[in-house]
Amino acid sequence: MSMYGAEIDGPIALEGGKKSRKNLTDGRLRLVIVFLILAFFAIGGRMVVLGISQGTDQAKEIARSVAALARPTITDRNGRNLAMDILVPSLYASPRQIIDLDEAVEKLSAELPDIDREWLRDKLDGDEGFVWIKREMSPAAQERIFNLGIPGINFRTESKRYYPGRNIAAHVLGSVNVDNQGISGMERYLDSDEFAMVRLATGANPSDPVKLSIDLRVQYALQAELADALERYQAIAAAGVIIDVATGEVLALSSLPDYDPNIAASALEEGRFNRITAGTFELGSTFKTVTMAAALDSGVVVITDEFDAREPIRFGRYTIDDYRGKRRILTLPEVYKYSSNIGTIRVMQTLGKENYRAFLTRAGFDDPLAIELPETKLSSIPHEFSDVGAATASFGHGLSVTPLHMATAVAGFVNDGIMVPATLLMRTQSEANALGKRIISAETSAQIRYLMRLNALEGSGRRMNRIAEGYMVGGKTGTADKVVDGRYDTSKNFTAFASAFPMDNPKYAMVILVDEPKRENEQTGTTAGWNAGEITGRVVQRIAPALGIMPNFSEISEEALVPIVLRNLPEGN
Amino acid sequence: MIRGINVLLLITSIFALVGVYSIKFQSETIEEQKMELSRSIAQQQAELSVLQADWAFFSQPSYIAPIVERHGEALNLQILVADQYGSIEDIPMRPEIINDSALTALFAALDEGIDPIGDILAEGMGQ
């Protein structure tokens, strides 16, 4: 201080220096405080942001992992579950943590009487960290064991695909593997990119239930009747499909023998493939409906035309004859009703084989099936028909198609000529209208309906009609000899019945097949009318009331469809 | 004055400390509750899925049909056939003329002072 006092005069300078230093310090302090406050707010704000955003991210992560694990529930068109995930607890133990082995074995075996006590003791005794005790137990049992409070005994929830109907609609649903991935049927389709796009377009969540077009009641009725047929006719296989003619929705699809999708391995056994979409067959005379539609729609042939069926037709070394032929000149409805091969060839020849081949393409027989199932097969039809090839094709031989191709075409024929591709998902009428394609004119459609109904009243569909009286079913039989070692074996039949009902306002089309049917008893036969036809009748009689179709015995509706003047009394057979 | 501010800051920070810790513990408790709730939701969903599976199984036509068959005879159940269906139009309208001659006669008798029902009752009492 004395040093300063000597140089600077008076205490003011000293005071000024102190003050200026104080001012400087205050300024710096203020700066630091402001900086600290800013930093505080910045950190505080950042924490708030982190707190909010992290929470939502986590929630999303959890939601995503849950969705990835679950498969959507599959329901029928009325919302009844066909396939679902069940979360089942499984019991495991950590033997390392078990304190009192005897007590644990005692208590557990009291709750799980089906587990061998020695086996359990062996499992629990040791130093392992993890052993399964029981997979997939009931929640009630879980609660009881949980309440025992044994240390080292724990549960783990596992997701398992469950098909409550077992064999019901097995070929439609398909199955999943141990990793819950679809390996066949709709289960496989649900995992496809195609279905992901459908979901995206409709804005549905991946875990939302998927509604199929299947009607459980109809599916059960069809399946029960087919099972009955296997026994009744001692057949090796029977299959059927029912579709809505206006929308193409498949209401029921069954192929027996089938399998239980709960036991996925059972699908691999021999002969259990889906005959409706993954099997192609020579559908025999059911193809005469196609030939008639082609001929009538071209305008070259009219319904009153007559065809000579007196002599068998020869093609070089082949001779084609009728089964129980009439040996006379037949009108077109008679050709259809008596299922005359000769008459049908003449009809096809009048039309021309190129036109006939073109019509098969138009009616969708060359297209791959539009259905969602991965198990489909392409038709096998020659690109160009030879004379004899066209002749046999006109009555359904020498070309093979899937039964679903036939059902879709028949649906188109009776649905005023508009064919809608088949689907297993729900479809509205307006969506169907956008997809529908005209294959024949509305007038031809009316004539086909007349022919099909006439055949039920007077032709090979009589036995079917007697069973399903009142529902105005119309249809055509088809009986083909099976090909064994490259030759037709006349002792083994393959029969089919392609039908639609009610014929005055067709709603549903159906195709039924039976592979190698035998006689039911001495009085019956093995042709399609006896088996595939009767099955159709029984199915219709069961499902029509469920589908809201009232029986109609009105002679007026019948007269409008098949005028009495056009009817004949059946001759003899 | 600085001391005053310091004391104030000290008190504030003590409060802040207490506040932050209480929030921490609160959030831990809530977290625990949340875990407990989501565990119970998961368990209930699992139980629900099993119950739904049970319902789907027991309401299957393939499960009910054999039961119906077994008890069909005792309950006299028969399959509905097509000609058993009717429509509203098939039901005849109520007959337009109601046969009420008996009632008219009764009222006429009552008007004349004779009470047939009363007489019958009286006769019954008398015997």
Coordinates of all heavy atoms in Angstrom, one line a residue, chain A residues 335-418:
Chain A
V335 N -79.3 -84.6 -77.0 CA -77.9 -85.0 -77.0 C -77.3 -84.8 -75.6 O -76.6 -85.6 -75.1 CB -77.1 -84.1 -78.1 CG1 -75.6 -84.2 -77.9 CG2 -77.5 -84.4 -79.5
Y336 N -77.7 -83.6 -75.0 CA -77.2 -83.3 -73.7 C -77.8 -84.2 -72.7 O -77.1 -84.8 -71.8 CB -77.6 -81.8 -73.4 CG -76.9 -81.3 -72.2 CD1 -75.6 -80.9 -72.1 CD2 -77.7 -81.1 -71.0 CE1 -75.0 -80.3 -71.0 CE2 -77.1 -80.6 -69.8 CZ -75.8 -80.2 -69.8 OH -75.2 -79.7 -68.7
K337 N -79.1 -84.4 -72.7 CA -79.8 -85.2 -71.7 C -79.4 -86.7 -71.7 O -79.2 -87.3 -70.7 CB -81.3 -85.0 -72.0 CG -82.2 -85.9 -71.3 CD -83.6 -85.4 -71.5 CE -84.3 -86.2 -72.6 NZ -85.7 -85.8 -72.7
Y338 N -79.2 -87.2 -72.9 CA -78.8 -88.6 -73.0 C -77.3 -88.8 -73.0 O -76.7 -89.8 -73.1 CB -79.4 -89.3 -74.3 CG -80.9 -89.3 -74.3 CD1 -81.6 -88.9 -75.4 CD2 -81.6 -89.8 -73.2 CE1 -82.9 -88.9 -75.5 CE2 -83.0 -89.8 -73.3 CZ -83.6 -89.3 -74.4 OH -85.0 -89.4 -74.4
S339 N -76.6 -87.6 -72.9 CA -75.1 -87.6 -72.8 C -74.5 -88.4 -74.0 O -73.7 -89.2 -73.8 CB -74.7 -88.2 -71.5 OG -73.3 -87.8 -71.3
S340 N -75.0 -88.0 -75.2 CA -74.6 -88.7 -76.4 C -73.2 -88.2 -76.9 O -73.1 -87.0 -77.2 CB -75.6 -88.5 -77.5 OG -75.0 -88.8 -78.8
N341 N -72.2 -89.1 -76.9 CA -70.9 -88.7 -77.4 C -70.9 -88.3 -78.8 O -70.3 -87.4 -79.3 CB -69.9 -89.8 -77.1 CG -69.7 -90.1 -75.7 OD1 -69.9 -89.3 -74.8 ND2 -69.2 -91.3 -75.4
I342 N -71.7 -89.2 -79.6 CA -71.7 -89.0 -81.1 C -72.4 -87.6 -81.3 O -71.8 -86.8 -82.1 CB -72.6 -90.1 -81.7 CG1 -72.0 -91.5 -81.3 CG2 -72.7 -89.9 -83.2 CD1 -72.9 -92.6 -81.7
G343 N -73.5 -87.3 -80.7 CA -74.2 -86.1 -80.9 C -73.3 -84.9 -80.5 O -73.2 -83.9 -81.3
T344 N -72.6 -85.0 -79.4 CA -71.7 -83.9 -79.0 C -70.6 -83.7 -80.0 O -70.2 -82.5 -80.3 CB -71.1 -84.2 -77.6 OG1 -72.2 -84.6 -76.7 CG2 -70.5 -83.0 -77.0
I345 N -70.0 -84.8 -80.5 CA -69.0 -84.6 -81.6 C -69.5 -83.8 -82.8 O -68.9 -82.9 -83.3 CB -68.4 -85.9 -82.0 CG1 -67.7 -86.6 -80.8 CG2 -67.4 -85.8 -83.2 CD1 -67.3 -88.0 -81.0
R346 N -70.8 -84.2 -83.1 CA -71.4 -83.5 -84.3 C -71.6 -82.0 -84.0 O -71.4 -81.2 -84.8 CB -72.7 -84.2 -84.6 CG -72.6 -85.6 -85.0 CD -72.9 -85.9 -86.4 NE -73.0 -87.3 -86.7 CZ -72.0 -88.0 -87.3 NH1 -70.9 -87.3 -87.7 NH2 -72.1 -89.3 -87.6
V347 N -72.0 -81.7 -82.7 CA -72.2 -80.3 -82.3 C -70.9 -79.6 -82.5 O -70.8 -78.5 -83.1 CB -72.7 -80.2 -80.9 CG1 -72.7 -78.8 -80.4 CG2 -74.1 -80.8 -80.8
M348 N -69.8 -80.2 -81.9 CA -68.5 -79.6 -82.0 C -68.0 -79.4 -83.4 O -67.4 -78.4 -83.8 CB -67.5 -80.5 -81.2 CG -66.1 -79.9 -81.0 SD -65.1 -80.1 -82.4 CE -65.1 -81.9 -82.5
Q349 N -68.3 -80.4 -84.3 CA -67.8 -80.4 -85.7 C -68.6 -79.2 -86.4 O -68.0 -78.6 -87.2 CB -68.0 -81.7 -86.4 CG -67.0 -82.7 -85.9 CD -67.2 -84.1 -86.5 OE1 -68.4 -84.4 -86.8 NE2 -66.2 -84.9 -86.5
T350 N -69.8 -79.0 -86.1 CA -70.6 -77.9 -86.7 C -70.0 -76.6 -86.3 O -69.8 -75.7 -87.1 CB -72.1 -78.0 -86.2 OG1 -72.5 -79.3 -86.3 CG2 -72.9 -77.1 -87.1
L351 N -69.5 -76.5 -85.0 CA -68.9 -75.3 -84.6 C -67.5 -75.1 -85.2 O -67.1 -74.0 -85.5 CB -68.8 -75.4 -83.0 CG -67.9 -74.3 -82.3 CD1 -68.6 -73.0 -82.3 CD2 -67.7 -74.8 -80.9
G352 N -66.8 -76.2 -85.4 CA -65.4 -76.1 -85.9 C -64.4 -76.3 -84.7 O -64.6 -75.7 -83.7
K353 N -63.4 -77.2 -84.9 CA -62.5 -77.5 -83.8 C -61.7 -76.3 -83.4 O -61.3 -76.1 -82.2 CB -61.6 -78.7 -84.1 CG -60.7 -78.5 -85.3 CD -59.8 -79.7 -85.6 CE -58.8 -79.4 -86.7 NZ -57.9 -80.5 -87.0
E354 N -61.3 -75.3 -84.4 CA -60.5 -74.2 -84.0 C -61.4 -73.3 -83.1 O -60.9 -72.7 -82.1 CB -60.1 -73.4 -85.2 CG -58.9 -74.0 -86.0 CD -59.4 -75.1 -86.9 OE1 -60.7 -75.2 -87.2 OE2 -58.6 -76.0 -87.2
N355 N -62.6 -73.1 -83.4 CA -63.5 -72.3 -82.6 C -63.7 -72.9 -81.2 O -63.8 -72.2 -80.2 CB -64.9 -72.1 -83.3 CG -64.8 -71.3 -84.5 OD1 -63.9 -70.5 -84.7 ND2 -65.8 -71.5 -85.4
Y356 N -63.8 -74.2 -81.2 CA -64.0 -74.9 -79.9 C -62.8 -74.7 -79.0 O -62.9 -74.4 -77.9 CB -64.2 -76.4 -80.2 CG -64.4 -77.2 -78.9 CD1 -65.4 -76.8 -78.0 CD2 -63.6 -78.3 -78.6 CE1 -65.6 -77.5 -76.8 CE2 -63.8 -79.0 -77.4 CZ -64.8 -78.6 -76.5 OH -65.0 -79.2 -75.3
R357 N -61.6 -74.8 -79.7 CA -60.3 -74.6 -78.9 C -60.2 -73.2 -78.4 O -59.8 -72.9 -77.2 CB -59.1 -74.9 -79.8 CG -57.8 -74.9 -79.0 CD -57.7 -75.9 -78.0 NE -56.5 -75.8 -77.1 CZ -56.4 -75.0 -76.1 NH1 -57.5 -74.2 -75.7 NH2 -55.4 -74.9 -75.3
A358 N -60.6 -72.2 -79.2 CA -60.6 -70.8 -78.8 C -61.6 -70.6 -77.6 O -61.3 -69.8 -76.7 CB -61.0 -69.9 -80.0
F359 N -62.7 -71.3 -77.7 CA -63.7 -71.1 -76.6 C -63.1 -71.6 -75.3 O -63.4 -71.0 -74.2 CB -65.0 -71.8 -76.9 CG -66.0 -71.6 -75.8 CD1 -66.8 -70.4 -75.8 CD2 -66.3 -72.5 -74.8 CE1 -67.7 -70.1 -74.8 CE2 -67.2 -72.3 -73.8 CZ -67.9 -71.1 -73.8
L360 N -62.4 -72.7 -75.3 CA -61.8 -73.2 -74.1 C -60.9 -72.2 -73.4 O -60.9 -72.0 -72.2 CB -61.0 -74.5 -74.3 CG -61.8 -75.7 -74.8 CD1 -60.9 -76.9 -74.9 CD2 -62.9 -76.0 -73.8
T361 N -60.1 -71.4 -74.3 CA -59.3 -70.4 -73.8 C -60.2 -69.3 -73.2 O -59.9 -68.8 -72.1 CB -58.4 -69.8 -74.9 OG1 -57.7 -70.9 -75.5 CG2 -57.4 -68.8 -74.4
R362 N -61.2 -68.9 -73.9 CA -62.1 -67.8 -73.4 C -62.8 -68.2 -72.1 O -62.9 -67.3 -71.2 CB -63.2 -67.6 -74.5 CG -64.2 -66.5 -74.1 CD -64.5 -65.6 -75.3 NE -65.1 -66.4 -76.4 CZ -66.4 -66.4 -76.7 NH1 -67.3 -65.8 -76.0 NH2 -66.8 -67.1 -77.7
A363 N -63.1 -69.5 -71.9 CA -63.7 -69.9 -70.6 C -62.7 -70.1 -69.5 O -63.1 -70.6 -68.5 CB -64.6 -71.2 -70.9
G364 N -61.5 -69.7 -69.8 CA -60.5 -69.7 -68.7 C -59.8 -71.0 -68.4 O -59.0 -71.1 -67.4
F365 N -60.0 -72.0 -69.3 CA -59.3 -73.3 -69.0 C -57.8 -73.3 -69.2 O -57.1 -74.1 -68.6 CB -60.0 -74.4 -69.8 CG -61.4 -74.8 -69.4 CD1 -62.5 -74.4 -70.1 CD2 -61.5 -75.5 -68.2 CE1 -63.7 -74.7 -69.7 CE2 -62.8 -75.9 -67.8 CZ -63.9 -75.4 -68.5
D366 N -57.3 -72.3 -69.9 CA -55.8 -72.3 -70.1 C -55.2 -71.4 -69.1 O -53.9 -71.5 -68.9 CB -55.5 -71.7 -71.5 CG -55.8 -72.6 -72.6 OD1 -55.7 -73.8 -72.4 OD2 -56.2 -72.2 -73.7
D367 N -55.9 -70.6 -68.4 CA -55.3 -69.7 -67.4 C -54.9 -70.4 -66.2 O -55.6 -71.4 -65.8 CB -56.3 -68.6 -67.0 CG -56.8 -67.7 -68.2 OD1 -56.0 -67.7 -69.2 OD2 -57.9 -67.2 -68.2
P368 N -53.9 -70.0 -65.5 CA -53.6 -70.5 -64.2 C -54.7 -70.1 -63.2 O -55.3 -69.1 -63.4 CB -52.2 -69.9 -63.8 CG -52.1 -68.7 -64.7 CD -52.9 -69.0 -65.9
L369 N -55.0 -70.9 -62.2 CA -56.1 -70.6 -61.3 C -55.7 -69.3 -60.6 O -54.6 -69.1 -60.2 CB -56.2 -71.7 -60.3 CG -56.9 -73.0 -60.8 CD1 -56.8 -74.1 -59.8 CD2 -58.3 -72.8 -61.2
A370 N -56.8 -68.5 -60.4 CA -56.6 -67.2 -59.7 C -56.6 -67.3 -58.2 O -56.3 -66.4 -57.5 CB -57.7 -66.2 -60.2
I371 N -56.9 -68.5 -57.8 CA -57.1 -68.7 -56.3 C -55.8 -68.5 -55.5 O -54.7 -68.6 -56.1 CB -57.7 -70.1 -56.0 CG1 -58.3 -70.2 -54.6 CG2 -56.6 -71.2 -56.2 CD1 -59.6 -70.8 -54.6
E372 N -55.9 -68.0 -54.3 CA -54.8 -67.6 -53.4 C -53.9 -68.8 -53.0 O -52.8 -68.6 -52.7 CB -55.3 -66.9 -52.2 CG -55.9 -65.6 -52.4 CD -57.3 -65.6 -52.9 OE1 -57.9 -66.7 -52.9 OE2 -57.9 -64.6 -53.2
L373 N -54.4 -70.0 -53.1 CA -53.7 -71.2 -52.6 C -52.4 -71.4 -53.5 O -52.4 -71.2 -54.7 CB -54.5 -72.5 -52.7 CG -55.7 -72.5 -51.8 CD1 -56.5 -73.9 -52.1 CD2 -55.3 -72.4 -50.4
P374 N -51.3 -71.7 -52.8 CA -50.1 -71.9 -53.6 C -50.1 -73.3 -54.4 O -49.4 -73.4 -55.3 CB -49.0 -71.9 -52.6 CG -49.6 -72.1 -51.2 CD -51.0 -71.8 -51.4
E375 N -51.0 -74.2 -53.9 CA -51.0 -75.5 -54.5 C -52.0 -75.5 -55.7 O -53.2 -75.8 -55.6 CB -51.5 -76.6 -53.5 CG -50.6 -76.8 -52.3 CD -51.0 -75.8 -51.2 OE1 -52.1 -75.2 -51.3 OE2 -50.3 -75.8 -50.2
T376 N -51.5 -75.1 -56.9 CA -52.3 -75.1 -58.1 C -51.6 -75.9 -59.2 O -50.4 -76.1 -59.1 CB -52.7 -73.7 -58.6 OG1 -51.4 -73.1 -58.8 CG2 -53.5 -72.9 -57.6
K377 N -52.4 -76.3 -60.2 CA -51.8 -77.0 -61.3 C -52.4 -76.4 -62.6 O -53.5 -76.0 -62.6 CB -52.1 -78.5 -61.2 CG -51.2 -79.4 -61.9 CD -51.5 -80.9 -61.6 CE -50.7 -81.7 -62.6 NZ -51.1 -83.1 -62.5
L378 N -51.6 -76.4 -63.6 CA -52.1 -75.9 -64.9 C -52.8 -77.0 -65.6 O -52.5 -78.2 -65.5 CB -50.9 -75.4 -65.7 CG -50.2 -74.1 -65.3 CD1 -48.9 -73.9 -66.1 CD2 -51.1 -72.9 -65.5
S379 N -53.8 -76.6 -66.4 CA -54.5 -77.5 -67.2 C -53.6 -78.1 -68.3 O -52.6 -77.5 -68.6 CB -55.7 -76.8 -68.0 OG -56.4 -76.1 -67.1
S380 N -54.0 -79.3 -68.7 CA -53.2 -79.8 -69.8 C -54.1 -80.1 -71.0 O -54.9 -81.0 -71.0 CB -52.4 -81.1 -69.3 OG -52.7 -82.2 -70.1
I381 N -54.1 -79.1 -71.9 CA -54.9 -79.1 -73.1 C -54.0 -78.9 -74.3 O -53.2 -78.0 -74.3 CB -56.0 -78.0 -73.1 CG1 -56.7 -78.0 -71.7 CG2 -57.0 -78.1 -74.2 CD1 -57.6 -76.8 -71.6
P382 N -54.1 -79.8 -75.4 CA -53.3 -79.6 -76.5 C -53.5 -78.2 -77.1 O -54.6 -77.7 -77.1 CB -53.7 -80.7 -77.5 CG -54.5 -81.7 -76.7 CD -55.0 -80.9 -75.5
H383 N -52.4 -77.6 -77.6 CA -52.6 -76.2 -78.2 C -53.4 -76.2 -79.5 O -54.2 -75.3 -79.7 CB -51.2 -75.6 -78.5 CG -50.5 -75.1 -77.3 ND1 -51.1 -74.0 -76.6 CD2 -49.4 -75.5 -76.6 CE1 -50.3 -73.8 -75.5 NE2 -49.3 -74.7 -75.5
E384 N -53.3 -77.3 -80.2 CA -54.1 -77.4 -81.4 C -54.7 -78.8 -81.4 O -54.0 -79.8 -81.1 CB -53.3 -77.2 -82.7 CG -53.4 -75.8 -83.2 CD -52.5 -75.6 -84.4 OE1 -52.6 -76.4 -85.4 OE2 -51.7 -74.7 -84.4
F385 N -56.0 -78.9 -81.7 CA -56.6 -80.2 -81.7 C -56.5 -80.9 -83.0 O -56.7 -80.3 -84.1 CB -58.1 -80.0 -81.4 CG -58.5 -79.8 -79.9 CD1 -59.4 -78.9 -79.6 CD2 -57.8 -80.6 -78.9 CE1 -59.7 -78.7 -78.2 CE2 -58.1 -80.4 -77.6 CZ -59.1 -79.5 -77.3
S386 N -56.2 -82.2 -83.0 CA -56.4 -83.0 -84.2 C -57.9 -83.3 -84.3 O -58.6 -83.0 -83.4 CB -55.6 -84.3 -84.0 OG -56.1 -85.0 -83.0
D387 N -58.3 -83.9 -85.4 CA -59.7 -84.2 -85.6 C -60.2 -85.1 -84.4 O -61.2 -84.8 -83.8 CB -60.0 -84.9 -86.9 CG -59.9 -83.9 -88.1 OD1 -60.0 -82.7 -87.7 OD2 -59.8 -84.3 -89.2
V388 N -59.5 -86.2 -84.2 CA -59.9 -87.1 -83.1 C -59.7 -86.5 -81.7 O -60.5 -86.7 -80.8 CB -59.1 -88.5 -83.2 CG1 -57.6 -88.3 -83.0 CG2 -59.7 -89.5 -82.2
G389 N -58.7 -85.6 -81.6 CA -58.4 -84.9 -80.3 C -59.6 -84.0 -80.0 O -60.1 -84.0 -78.9
A390 N -60.1 -83.3 -81.0 CA -61.2 -82.3 -80.8 C -62.4 -83.1 -80.5 O -63.3 -82.7 -79.6 CB -61.4 -81.5 -82.0
A391 N -62.6 -84.3 -81.2 CA -63.8 -85.1 -80.9 C -63.9 -85.6 -79.5 O -64.9 -85.5 -78.8 CB -63.8 -86.3 -81.9
T392 N -62.7 -86.1 -79.0 CA -62.7 -86.7 -77.6 C -62.8 -85.5 -76.6 O -63.5 -85.6 -75.6 CB -61.5 -87.5 -77.3 OG1 -60.3 -86.7 -77.6 CG2 -61.5 -88.8 -78.1
A393 N -62.2 -84.4 -77.0 CA -62.2 -83.2 -76.1 C -63.7 -82.7 -75.9 O -64.0 -82.2 -74.8 CB -61.4 -82.1 -76.6
S394 N -64.5 -82.9 -76.9 CA -65.9 -82.3 -76.8 C -66.7 -83.1 -75.7 O -67.6 -82.5 -75.2 CB -66.6 -82.5 -78.2 OG -66.9 -83.8 -78.4
F395 N -66.3 -84.3 -75.4 CA -66.9 -84.9 -74.3 C -65.9 -85.2 -73.1 O -66.1 -86.1 -72.3 CB -67.7 -86.2 -74.7 CG -66.9 -87.3 -75.4 CD1 -66.3 -88.3 -74.7 CD2 -66.8 -87.3 -76.8 CE1 -65.6 -89.3 -75.4 CE2 -66.1 -88.2 -77.4 CZ -65.5 -89.3 -76.7
G396 N -64.9 -84.4 -73.1 CA -64.1 -84.3 -71.9 C -63.0 -85.4 -71.7 O -62.6 -85.7 -70.6
H397 N -62.6 -85.9 -72.9 CA -61.4 -86.9 -72.8 C -60.3 -86.3 -73.5 O -60.4 -85.5 -74.5 CB -61.8 -88.2 -73.3 CG -62.7 -89.0 -72.4 ND1 -64.0 -88.6 -72.2 CD2 -62.5 -90.0 -71.6 CE1 -64.6 -89.4 -71.3 NE2 -63.7 -90.3 -70.9
G398 N -59.1 -86.7 -73.1 CA -57.9 -86.2 -73.8 C -57.4 -84.8 -73.4 O -56.6 -84.2 -74.0
L399 N -58.1 -84.2 -72.4 CA -57.7 -83.0 -71.9 C -58.0 -83.0 -70.4 O -59.0 -83.6 -70.0 CB -58.4 -81.8 -72.6 CG -59.8 -81.4 -72.2 CD1 -60.2 -80.1 -73.0 CD2 -60.8 -82.5 -72.4
S400 N -57.1 -82.5 -69.6 CA -57.4 -82.5 -68.2 C -57.3 -81.1 -67.6 O -56.4 -80.3 -67.9 CB -56.5 -83.5 -67.4 OG -55.2 -83.4 -67.9
V401 N -58.2 -80.8 -66.7 CA -58.3 -79.5 -66.0 C -58.5 -79.7 -64.6 O -58.9 -80.9 -64.2 CB -59.5 -78.7 -66.6 CG1 -59.3 -78.4 -68.1 CG2 -60.8 -79.3 -66.3
T402 N -58.3 -78.7 -63.8 CA -58.6 -78.9 -62.3 C -60.1 -78.7 -62.1 O -60.8 -78.0 -62.9 CB -57.9 -77.8 -61.5 OG1 -58.6 -76.6 -61.7 CG2 -56.5 -77.7 -61.8
P403 N -60.7 -79.4 -61.1 CA -62.1 -79.2 -60.9 C -62.5 -77.8 -60.6 O -63.7 -77.4 -60.9 CB -62.3 -80.1 -59.6 CG -61.2 -81.1 -59.7 CD -60.1 -80.4 -60.3
L404 N -61.6 -77.0 -60.1 CA -61.9 -75.6 -59.8 C -62.1 -74.8 -61.1 O -63.0 -73.9 -61.2 CB -60.9 -74.9 -58.9 CG -61.3 -73.5 -58.4 CD1 -62.5 -73.5 -57.6 CD2 -60.1 -72.9 -57.6
H405 N -61.3 -75.2 -62.2 CA -61.5 -74.6 -63.5 C -63.0 -74.8 -64.0 O -63.6 -73.9 -64.4 CB -60.6 -75.2 -64.5 CG -59.2 -74.6 -64.6 ND1 -58.1 -75.2 -64.2 CD2 -58.8 -73.3 -65.0 CE1 -57.0 -74.5 -64.4 NE2 -57.5 -73.3 -64.8
M406 N -63.4 -76.1 -63.8 CA -64.7 -76.4 -64.2 C -65.8 -75.7 -63.4 O -66.7 -75.2 -64.0 CB -64.9 -78.0 -64.1 CG -66.2 -78.5 -64.5 SD -66.7 -78.0 -66.1 CE -66.2 -79.4 -67.1
A407 N -65.6 -75.6 -62.1 CA -66.6 -74.9 -61.2 C -66.7 -73.5 -61.6 O -67.8 -72.9 -61.7 CB -66.2 -75.1 -59.8
T408 N -65.6 -72.8 -61.9 CA -65.6 -71.4 -62.3 C -66.3 -71.2 -63.6 O -67.1 -70.3 -63.8 CB -64.1 -70.9 -62.3 OG1 -63.4 -71.4 -61.2 CG2 -64.1 -69.4 -62.4
A409 N -66.0 -72.1 -64.6 CA -66.6 -72.0 -65.9 C -68.2 -72.2 -65.8 O -68.9 -71.4 -66.3 CB -66.0 -73.0 -66.8
V410 N -68.6 -73.2 -65.0 CA -70.0 -73.5 -64.9 C -70.7 -72.3 -64.2 O -71.8 -71.8 -64.6 CB -70.2 -74.8 -64.0 CG1 -71.7 -74.9 -63.6 CG2 -69.8 -76.0 -64.9
A411 N -70.0 -71.7 -63.2 CA -70.5 -70.5 -62.5 C -70.7 -69.4 -63.5 O -71.8 -68.7 -63.5 CB -69.6 -70.1 -61.4
G412 N -69.8 -69.2 -64.4 CA -69.9 -68.2 -65.4 C -71.0 -68.5 -66.4 O -71.8 -67.6 -66.8
F413 N -71.2 -69.8 -66.8 CA -72.3 -70.1 -67.7 C -73.6 -69.8 -67.2 O -74.5 -69.3 -67.9 CB -72.2 -71.6 -68.0 CG -71.0 -72.1 -68.8 CD1 -70.6 -73.4 -68.7 CD2 -70.3 -71.2 -69.6 CE1 -69.5 -73.8 -69.4 CE2 -69.2 -71.6 -70.3 CZ -68.8 -72.9 -70.2
V414 N -73.8 -70.0 -65.9 CA -75.2 -69.8 -65.3 C -75.4 -68.4 -64.8 O -76.5 -67.9 -64.7 CB -75.5 -70.8 -64.2 CG1 -75.5 -72.3 -64.7 CG2 -74.6 -70.7 -63.0
N415 N -74.3 -67.7 -64.6 CA -74.4 -66.3 -64.1 C -74.5 -65.3 -65.2 O -73.7 -64.4 -65.3 CB -73.1 -66.0 -63.2 CG -73.1 -64.6 -62.6 OD1 -74.2 -64.2 -62.1 ND2 -72.0 -64.0 -62.5
D416 N -75.5 -65.5 -66.1 CA -75.7 -64.7 -67.2 C -74.5 -64.5 -68.1 O -74.4 -63.5 -68.8 CB -76.2 -63.3 -66.8 CG -77.7 -63.3 -66.4 OD1 -78.4 -64.2 -66.9 OD2 -78.1 -62.5 -65.6
G417 N -73.6 -65.4 -68.0 CA -72.4 -65.4 -68.9 C -71.2 -64.7 -68.4 O -70.2 -64.6 -69.1
I418 N -71.3 -64.1 -67.2 CA -70.2 -63.4 -66.6 C -69.4 -64.4 -65.7 O -69.9 -64.9 -64.7 CB -70.6 -62.2 -65.7 CG1 -71.6 -61.3 -66.5 CG2 -69.4 -61.4 -65.2 CD1 -71.0 -60.4 -67.5

